[in-house]
Amino acid sequence: MAAAPARPHVLMMSEITADGKLTLKKGASSKILMKYMAHETEILLHETRAAYDAIMVGANTIRIDNSFLTVRLVPGKSPLRVIPCSMADIPLDANVLGPDAPSLIAVSERAPKDRVEAIRAKGVNVAVAGKDHVELPLLMQILHDKYGVKKLMIEGGPTLNWHMLHEKLVDEIRLIHLPFIVGGSDTPSLVGGMHINTEDEMIRLNLKKYYLCGSNLVSEFDVLYP
């Protein structure tokens, strides 16, 4: 049996409300809730970024939040910013295309050449990682082999989180619990994607640590795959 391709160790890190939501409502920025994190927890987030080689979020998160994804509250180097964007339609004024830290936009072979060249003209690297859409296992291999990424954190929305878990690419999960309930049947939660049919399809976790960071509960899990 052939060995699996080398890939980075992956940590999923996110803030969630008590009812598992990421935002106030569909289309709202997660920054609205993040401003209620304790300062100590903000520091934990930036310390984590500084400890990792790369950080990844989905293109839709960039469109909504327009995050910088840099290290700001603690000493340390900002990680490589990785954005899967199959059709290279990331806004050209997005903060992640700025000079604050290196970035890599992952696209598919179908991405229009003019969009790809416009991204490259900003001084940003582009990697082709799939024919019709970005294939995350291939992207993980590219990050490991070509960019030397050994540790990757994802601060994704529900779509990226689901695809990474579905592809069995997440090793750890760290959750910052916010003491709010926001409700909403279509409010984005930690993991989106397709409904499962049986309990056999549940992704199982092992709780390994929990602690207070300022006024926020933080829980840490290992992801258990069959």
Side-chain angles (χ1 to χ4, degrees):
M1 185 175 179
R7 66 166 178 86
H9 182 92
V10 176
L11 167 72
M12 176 189 294
M13 187 167 182
S14 182
E15 82 289 342
I16 60 169
T17 64
D19 54 340
K21 307 298 188 181
L22 299 181
T23 64
L24 287 182
K25 60 182 179 179
K26 187 175 182 180
S29 172
S30 62
K31 292 180 180 179
I32 298 171
L33 292 180
M34 288 179 72
K35 70 184 182 182
Y36 292 101
M37 289 196 309
H39 182 62
E40 295 89 343
T41 316
E42 290 183 292
I43 290 174
L44 173 66
L45 176 64
H46 284 264
E47 284 176 340
T48 306
R49 288 180 180 179
Y52 277 70
D53 304 312
I55 180 171
M56 183 166 72
V57 305
N60 198 50
T61 296
I62 292 299
R63 293 185 192 102
I64 295 172
D65 290 354
N66 197 20
S67 304
F68 284 92
L69 303 179
T70 52
V71 174
R72 297 187 296 278
L73 299 181
V74 299
K77 183 181 177 182
S78 291
L80 172 70
R81 302 175 293 195
V82 181
I83 316 296
C85 188
S86 294
M87 297 304 291
D89 53 354
I90 187 170
L92 291 177
D93 60 352
N95 289 325
V96 292
L97 300 184
D100 307 89
S103 295
L104 173 69
I105 309 302
V107 304
S108 70
E109 293 177 15
R110 292 197 305 126
K113 297 295 186 290
D114 59 332
R115 291 182 188 167
V116 172
E117 290 310 313
I119 293 170
R120 288 192 169 124
K122 304 277 289 185
V124 174
N125 287 324
V126 176
V128 178
K131 184 176 180 180
D132 296 317
H133 61 272
V134 172
E135 299 170 10
L136 291 171
L138 175 57
L139 176 56
M140 294 300 103
Q141 188 176 356
I142 290 170
L143 288 174
H144 182 277
D145 294 349
K146 294 187 177 181
Y147 290 86
V149 175
K150 301 297 189 291
K151 296 170 62 181
L152 168 72
M153 70 178 293
I154 58 175
E155 291 185 33
T159 302
L160 178 62
N161 289 347
W162 182 79
H163 282 295
M164 287 290 289
L165 286 163
H166 182 69
E167 296 284 358
K168 300 182 179 180
L169 297 172
V170 180
D171 301 289
E172 299 179 73
I173 297 176
R174 180 179 296 160
L175 300 177
I176 299 167
H177 299 268
L178 303 177
F180 305 107
I181 292 175
V182 300
S185 60
D186 65 345
T187 304
S189 58
L190 180 66
V191 180
M194 305 299 291
H195 292 285
I196 63 172
N197 296 310
T198 71
E199 63 268 28
D200 293 334
E201 297 177 61
M202 293 190 298
I203 296 169
R204 300 179 185 274
L205 309 176
N206 176 57
L207 176 65
K208 60 180 180 179
K209 192 176 181 182
Y210 59 92
Y211 50 93
L212 278 178
C213 186
S215 58
N216 293 127
L217 173 67
V218 178
S219 59
E220 299 185 3
F221 303 85
D222 287 323
V223 183
L224 307 177
Y225 298 115

